[in-house]
Amino acid sequence: MSDVLTDLLTRLRADHDLDLAVVGADGLVVAADPVEGADVEAIATSIGDHCLMMTALGAEVGAGDPPS
């Protein structure tokens, strides 16, 4: 599964000139295709925190989960 995700990330990053990583809400890196020098673990940790905050905020104001 990780190889499939990595292939998709590679194509998506190339098509849109992105720095990209796929992570879970807990900050776990599932697959990544970063540009050279990108700190994937730091990005994943930060994004995981933001996802948890957005989920909690959405529940608090009754807006539901953030879009995927």
Side-chain angles (χ1 to χ4, degrees), residues 28-39:
L28 175 68
V29 175
V30 176
D33 179 48
V35 295
E36 187 175 331
D39 186 350

Side-chain angles (χ1 to χ4, degrees), residues 7-48:
D7 291 344
L8 290 172
L9 290 174
T10 300
R11 286 191 1 230
L12 186 62
R13 188 171 72 82
D15 290 349
H16 300 283
D17 193 29
L18 301 172
D19 302 346
L20 196 69
V22 172
V23 297
D26 62 355
L28 175 68
V29 175
V30 176
D33 179 48
V35 295
E36 187 175 331
D39 186 350
V40 174
E41 294 297 326
I43 293 168
T45 300
S46 176
I47 294 299

Side-chain angles (χ1 to χ4, degrees), residues 41-64:
E41 294 297 326
I43 293 168
T45 300
S46 176
I47 294 299
D49 291 344
H50 290 290
C51 287
L52 292 172
M53 182 194 64
M54 288 185 343
T55 300
L57 183 59
E60 184 70 26
V61 298

